[in-house]
Structures are given as structure tokens and as C-alpha cells.
Amino acid sequence: MSMLAALHRHRPRLAVSRWSSWLLVIVVLGYLLYTPLVSVPFANTQKSLIFSYALVGLGLNLLTGLTGQISLGHGAFFALGAYLCAVLVGNEGWFYLSAVPVAGVVGFALGYLFGRPALRLQGLALALVTLALALVTPSVIKRLDGITQGREGIILDIAEPPSFVSLDQDQWIYYVNLLILVAGFVVCERLSRGHIGRSMIGVRDNENVAMTLGIRPATVKTRVFAFSAAMAAIGGVTYAYAIQFVGPEAFGLDLAIAFITVIVVGGLTSNAGAVLGAVFIVYMPSWTQEINQSAAGIGYGVALVLCMLVLPAGLIGLVRIVGHPLVRRVPFLGPNR
Amino acid sequence: MTLFLQQIVDGLSSGALYAATALSLVLVYRASGFLNFAQAEMATFGTFVVWQLWIWGVPLWAAVSLSLVLSFFGGALMERTLIRPLTRSASHLTLIIVTLGVMLILLNGAGWIFDFGVKEFPSVLGGPVVELGPAVISRQSLVVICTVFLLAAALWVLFQHTRIGLVMRAAVDNPESADLMGLPTGTVLTISWGLAAAIGTLMGVLVAPQVFLAPGMLLPTLIYSFTAAILGGLDSPQGAIVGGFIVGISENLAGSYLPGIGADFKQAVALAIIMAVLLFKSEGLFGTKGVIRV
């Protein structure tokens, strides 16, 4: 029991010295920049996919982790982004990068319109409404078959590398997605600290107290919802780059649960955790598919239950359990040494 | 007119299924204060147990009875091991995620053990369709509708006219006082979960001949059952029944009469009903209004 209590204890983010955090950033970025040059196309596509799930995870982390609002429906905004990209770039011939701002703006607007009434609900009711949104998404796509080509889906051939670089398409898309993820990560990191981040946490922990401090909970919640919808839509665009195909069946309940798994397994309230969670949901099926085709689903399920019962802080909680003693003991790793 | 009547009758038979699942959801909600997202998969798993026993040559009635008992203990076990440790301390988010996890485990576990292929399942009552005026209904559907009403009646008797029902109502109404009175509140919560699981399995067995047994067979109906439970009021068993039939009928009528809805898009009706109820009358048709003391 004491072991369980130790795992449950809340741990703050690691306080590492400035130079060691820069060192970590350089090592991670260096690895990420180098690895596509020496990997097979499949591995690059897999990593590009991780980047698009991580974008969704970052937005959901702000919404669920920091602001405390559940959404099971971000698959709908993800699908929106993917289809915007497929239709505008694939069918209409727009420049492929233009899909990113368009998806961001449309995702924000639709997220705002949906969130405005929906966020009057709390907890369970909000979960139900957003779950319904996720379940309706495939049938909406099929219904709009004039635009979306219904069940057949849209096959794409977009995001060609420009002529001045000698990269293959999978490598180029990897770098494009990585760049978008890094930009999204920096934005979310800025948002989750400082005044905005503290108002989100205030709304999560006690709305009444937050209100007395001059924060409007409804406004904060709706804006965060809209922002996370925009992140999901941009994630959808990068998904369309990576997979080069969009079809209705990819955007149903399974995807909604996958997104929840991203933030839960990674660790709620941590941006780095959202990225770790995305790594988990992409690689776990490829580790387990040798056992049985059902093993991946069981793995997701067990991970969700275990995280809630044993490790509420997710993978990032594990990192902190190992990291805190290290930071304290190893010279130059901690702050002010 | 014939089409209209037929749609009503079809709506009644699908509504019966939604009503029964909503009934299980309501039982769990009254016990633990949240919705069990794994309900449909628990029912499917119980139905698979019946199928396996039947394949092994056990007579259908014995297989169903055994599976009902197993489901009861399965549901009770889930409450004791996964839900109870979390209900006191944790938020809705935690509980919803746990039940989603259980749903995934059961869905894929059933796929692993029994494979994902579609299985044929024996009907309780075969024979030609019954004519109700110009409309027709299968005998199995009639059994389903009658079972739902019997279940509702049995639950009403249980809640209103037995000692254990009284304890159950007390435990929901005011857990702390019930505890202080020395009532076995923990036990009755576990019993609620067991009953919900057993009802799920019973309905799974009854609808399996029509929808064909496969992992995830009840997932498409889950959203309608949630809608039914919300519409009827989350804490009201009668509401669940009425809500189930309303949702079943309106979904069928919208599918055939509203332009642009069609068979694929009927789930949007559920989304619209959920949104409307939650925003304008969040306690539903028969639910108790929540009151907060400030």
C-alpha cells in the first residue's frame, strides 16, 4: 500500500538547471533530425504519425489536464483537419502548407461554436456529448459524400519535397510534421505557464475562487476548447500528409479512445507527457501485433485502467520518480549549482 | 400509413433494447453516480459465454442461467476491484477512463477468445412473424419487448416492496446517513452492479439472434442507450424505459421521414436529443432535479 501511495504522490515538474535542459533539447532534436536520414520509409511514416497524434495530445492536455474538461470528441476536429487538407490540397490543388492555417482557423471557429453550449455541461454530461460527437463523425463524413467521396475516401499524393532538397517524400513529410509539432509544443508550453496557464488551473481546481480572482470560467473553458480543437484540426492535416489517405472509418470511437489514451498514458498536465503518450499509442500496436490482432486493444485498455489505479501521473510520472532523486544528487543537474 | 405503423413497431423493438441497456446504466448510475461505458461490451461478453456453453452442448436455458449468474458476479467483482477504490476520491474523468479501458479489454478479449467472425445464435422463440394490423413484428422482438416490461416491473417490486430495495434507495439517497444507520451500503452498491451486468447479458442473449453475435455487436446501440437514459432522467428506472421507446421510435421515424437523415445519419438524432435534454432540462423527463446548497 505504501508503494501505491508513493506512486500516487503528486510530484512537480523536474527543476533542472538551464544548461541541462538546453542539453536535453539539443540531444532530442539532434536525434529527431538525424534519424529519418537512416531509417526505412515505414519508420519515418510511423514517426510522422506520432507527431500528428502528439499535436492533438498537446491540445487535449491543455483542455483536460489543465482546465479539467473532458472531451472524447476531438476525433471530429481531427477528421475535419484531415478532410480540409484532402479536399483543398488533394482535389482543389491548393499549396499543401496552406491547409495548416486554414485548418487552424476553421477548427478554432467550429470548436468555439460547439464548445460554447457544450461547456455549460460538466463532467459526465460533457463526456457524453463529446462521445456522441465522436460517434456521429463517420456518418457525417459518409453523409457529405458529395465533398468527402463517402465510404471510398480520398487517396492523396501531396507534400512533394521541393526540388532544392534531395530528400524522399517520407523524409520531407517527417520534417514538415516535426516542424509543426515543435511550433505547437512551444506555443502550448508558453500557454500552460504564466497568467493563462494559471487561470486554466484555477478553473479546474475551483471555479468560484477563480471567479473571485477576476477570471471568467466560461470564457476560459470555451477558448481552451476552441484552441484544442484547432490543434486537433492541425493534427488532422499532418495525419493526411503522413498517411496520404483519408476515409470515414478511421475517425470513429477507436480514434476517440486513442486520443484519451495519449494524454492518460503520457500523463495529464504535462506537455512532454502528451508526446510520450503519442509514442505509446503508435508503437504499442506494432510491438503487440505478433501476439494477436486483439492484443493492441487489450494493451490500450490495460494501460488506461492501470494508469488510473496505479500511476495517475502516467509515463511522465515515472520519469519524475526516477528524475527527482537524480536532480537532487547529481551536481550541475539541479538548479542554482 | 402501413410504412408509418411499421416504423413505429420497428421503433418499439429497437427501443426495447435501448430501454434495457438504459436500465442497466441507470442501476449503475444510482449506485456509483456515473455512467458505465463498458455496459454494452459486458453484455456482449456474457452472451458469448452463453454461446460457448451452447456450442458445448449445454441446453440453452441452462447456459443462459449459468451466464446470468456469472455476469452478476463479474459485474460485482468489477465494482469491488476497479470502481470502489476510486469512487470516493476520484473525479468523473478517472471513472470514465477506467470503464473505457474495461470496454476495450472486453471487446478485444472477446475477439481474442472467440475471434471476430459473426456467429449465429439460437432464437428463444422461432416461427412466423406476428401481424399487428398492417404491420408485422417477429416473435423474438415480442419476447424482447415483453422482457423489458417484466424487468421493469420486477425492479419496481424490488425497489419499492423489499427490504434490500429499501436499503438500496437509502444508500443512493444519503450514503452517509445510511452508513451511520448501520445499513450495508457497500453490499447494495455491489448488488446494483451485479444486477446491471445480469440484465445486460439477458438482453444480449435476446437480441443476439437478430443482430448476430460478434464482439462489439451492441456498440452501435450504446449511443442510443445513453440518450435513452439521459432523456428519461439518469436516476429513474421508469424514465429509462420510456426514454428507450421514445428514442427507438423517433430514431426510426427520423430515418424514414426527415429528408437528408437516412440510415447512416440516424445517430445525429441521438446527438441532437442529448444536447437538447442536457441544455434545457438536464434532469430528464423523470429524473430528480439536482439541488445545490450554497
Side-chain angles (χ1 to χ4, degrees), chain A residues 5-154:
Chain A
L7 288 172
H8 273 262
R9 198 170 71 219
H10 175 75
R11 288 181 174 78
R13 63 198 314 156
L14 291 175
V16 288
S17 63
R18 179 155 291 215
W19 72 266
S20 45
S21 60
W22 276 112
L23 188 68
L24 181 70
V25 169
I26 289 168
V27 168
V28 169
L29 269 187
Y31 168 77
L32 288 177
L33 287 174
Y34 172 69
T35 179
L37 301 175
V38 293
S39 305
V40 292
F42 173 70
N44 290 338
T45 303
Q46 236 182 356
K47 291 197 187 79
S48 309
L49 201 56
I50 291 178
F51 299 153
S52 54
Y53 289 147
L55 279 165
V56 186
L58 286 170
L60 274 181
N61 176 46
L62 292 185
L63 180 70
T64 308
L66 267 73
T67 321
Q69 309 300 311
I70 309 174
S71 171
L72 301 172
H74 272 51
F77 301 108
F78 190 75
L80 172 80
Y83 268 96
L84 273 175
C85 178
V87 171
L88 292 181
V89 180
N91 294 352
E92 304 290 326
W94 290 25
F95 178 55
Y96 65 93
L97 282 180
S98 65
V100 174
V102 172
V105 170
V106 176
F108 192 92
L110 286 184
Y112 197 89
L113 288 179
F114 182 81
R116 190 81 215 176
L119 287 161
R120 283 170 54 192
L121 308 170
Q122 290 186 332
L124 191 60
L126 183 61
L128 270 178
V129 169
T130 50
L131 176 76
L133 181 67
L135 290 175
V136 169
T137 304
S139 48
V140 174
I141 295 172
K142 285 178 212 155
R143 186 72 194 74
L144 298 173
D145 52 359
I147 308 166
T148 61
Q149 302 180 15
R151 284 168 205 277
E152 288 171 26
I154 305 173

Side-chain angles (χ1 to χ4, degrees), chain A residues 23-322:
Chain A
L23 188 68
L24 181 70
V25 169
I26 289 168
V27 168
V28 169
L29 269 187
Y31 168 77
L32 288 177
L33 287 174
Y34 172 69
T35 179
L37 301 175
V38 293
S39 305
V40 292
F42 173 70
N44 290 338
T45 303
Q46 236 182 356
K47 291 197 187 79
S48 309
L49 201 56
I50 291 178
F51 299 153
S52 54
Y53 289 147
L55 279 165
V56 186
L58 286 170
L60 274 181
N61 176 46
L62 292 185
L63 180 70
T64 308
L66 267 73
T67 321
Q69 309 300 311
I70 309 174
S71 171
L72 301 172
H74 272 51
F77 301 108
F78 190 75
L80 172 80
Y83 268 96
L84 273 175
C85 178
V87 171
L88 292 181
V89 180
N91 294 352
E92 304 290 326
W94 290 25
F95 178 55
Y96 65 93
L97 282 180
S98 65
V100 174
V102 172
V105 170
V106 176
F108 192 92
L110 286 184
Y112 197 89
L113 288 179
F114 182 81
R116 190 81 215 176
L119 287 161
R120 283 170 54 192
L121 308 170
Q122 290 186 332
L124 191 60
L126 183 61
L128 270 178
V129 169
T130 50
L131 176 76
L133 181 67
L135 290 175
V136 169
T137 304
S139 48
V140 174
I141 295 172
K142 285 178 212 155
R143 186 72 194 74
L144 298 173
D145 52 359
I147 308 166
T148 61
Q149 302 180 15
R151 284 168 205 277
E152 288 171 26
I154 305 173
I155 299 170
L156 299 166
D157 185 16
I158 54 174
E160 290 274 325
S163 50
F164 57 85
V165 291
S166 56
L167 290 172
D168 292 335
Q169 193 168 7
D170 57 282
Q171 294 167 328
W172 178 249
I173 289 168
Y174 173 100
Y175 284 120
V176 170
N177 282 8
L178 177 63
L179 181 72
I180 296 173
L181 173 63
V182 169
F185 189 88
V186 172
V187 171
C188 287
E189 193 69 7
R190 303 295 300 173
L191 281 178
S192 59
R193 299 182 189 198
H195 176 70
I196 301 176
R198 282 197 298 274
S199 19
M200 291 195 272
I201 293 170
V203 169
R204 176 191 70 188
D205 289 346
N206 194 327
E207 283 195 18
N208 293 331
V209 174
M211 243 184 303
T212 61
L213 295 170
I215 295 162
R216 290 173 197 270
T219 314
V220 172
K221 284 193 268 187
T222 317
R223 283 188 188 158
V224 174
F225 192 93
F227 178 79
S228 64
M231 290 288 286
I234 293 174
V237 174
T238 59
Y239 168 88
Y241 292 162
I243 302 288
Q244 301 278 344
F245 172 74
V246 290
E249 295 310 330
F251 302 109
L253 182 64
D254 294 344
L255 188 73
I257 295 178
F259 287 158
I260 282 293
T261 316
V262 168
I263 52 170
V264 167
V265 171
L268 292 164
T269 75
S270 162
N271 289 320
V275 181
L276 287 182
V279 173
F280 173 81
I281 65 155
V282 172
Y283 280 138
M284 207 271 291
S286 54
W287 296 328
T288 53
Q289 70 187 3
E290 290 161 25
I291 310 171
N292 189 294
Q293 57 160 340
S294 314
I298 294 182
Y300 283 177
V302 171
L304 285 176
V305 173
L306 274 187
C307 276
M308 286 297 108
L309 287 176
V310 183
L311 197 67
L315 290 175
I316 209 74
L318 275 185
V319 171
R320 285 176 186 168
I321 287 171
V322 181

Side-chain angles (χ1 to χ4, degrees), chain A residues 64 70 117 121 127-129 131-132 135 139-140 143 151 257 264 291-294 297-298 300-302 308-309, chain B residues 35 37 82 86 93-94 96-98 101 103-104 108 111-112 116 223 226 230 260 264-265 267 271 275 278-279:
Chain A
T64 308
I70 309 174
L121 308 170
L128 270 178
V129 169
L131 176 76
L135 290 175
S139 48
V140 174
R143 186 72 194 74
R151 284 168 205 277
I257 295 178
V264 167
I291 310 171
N292 189 294
Q293 57 160 340
S294 314
I298 294 182
Y300 283 177
V302 171
M308 286 297 108
L309 287 176
Chain B
L35 288 174
F37 283 59
L82 298 179
L86 294 171
L93 179 64
T94 311
I96 289 171
I97 290 170
V98 168
M103 180 189 99
L104 280 179
N108 291 286
W112 192 330
F116 282 96
I223 184 73
F226 279 136
I230 297 257
D264 264 347
F265 204 42
Q267 285 170 332
L271 176 64
M275 276 296 247
L278 287 177
L279 289 174

Side-chain angles (χ1 to χ4, degrees), chain B residues 97 130 158 199 240:
Chain B
I97 290 170
V130 181
L158 175 75
I199 291 176

Side-chain angles (χ1 to χ4, degrees), chain A residues 305 308-309, chain B residues 27-39 42 74-103 186 189-190 192-194:
Chain A
V305 173
M308 286 297 108
L309 287 176
Chain B
L27 273 178
V28 165
Y29 183 85
R30 287 168 62 102
S32 307
F34 75 101
L35 288 174
N36 179 8
F37 283 59
Q39 185 63 51
M42 290 164 72
L77 185 73
M78 177 172 164
E79 199 273 339
R80 271 294 153 99
T81 53
L82 298 179
I83 308 299
R84 180 74 61 85
L86 294 171
T87 33
R88 287 280 152 94
S89 61
S91 64
H92 280 305
L93 179 64
T94 311
L95 290 163
I96 289 171
I97 290 170
V98 168
T99 58
L100 279 175
V102 172
M103 180 189 99
L189 295 192
T190 311
S192 296
W193 273 78

Side-chain angles (χ1 to χ4, degrees), chain B residues 15-16 18-23 26 145 147-153 155 228-229 232-233 236-248 286:
Chain B
Y18 308 153
T21 313
L23 207 56
V26 165
I145 295 174
T147 311
V148 169
F149 282 111
L150 283 179
L151 275 176
L155 280 181
S236 157
Q238 310 91 302
I241 304 289
V242 176
F245 286 114
I246 295 179
V247 170
F286 296 88

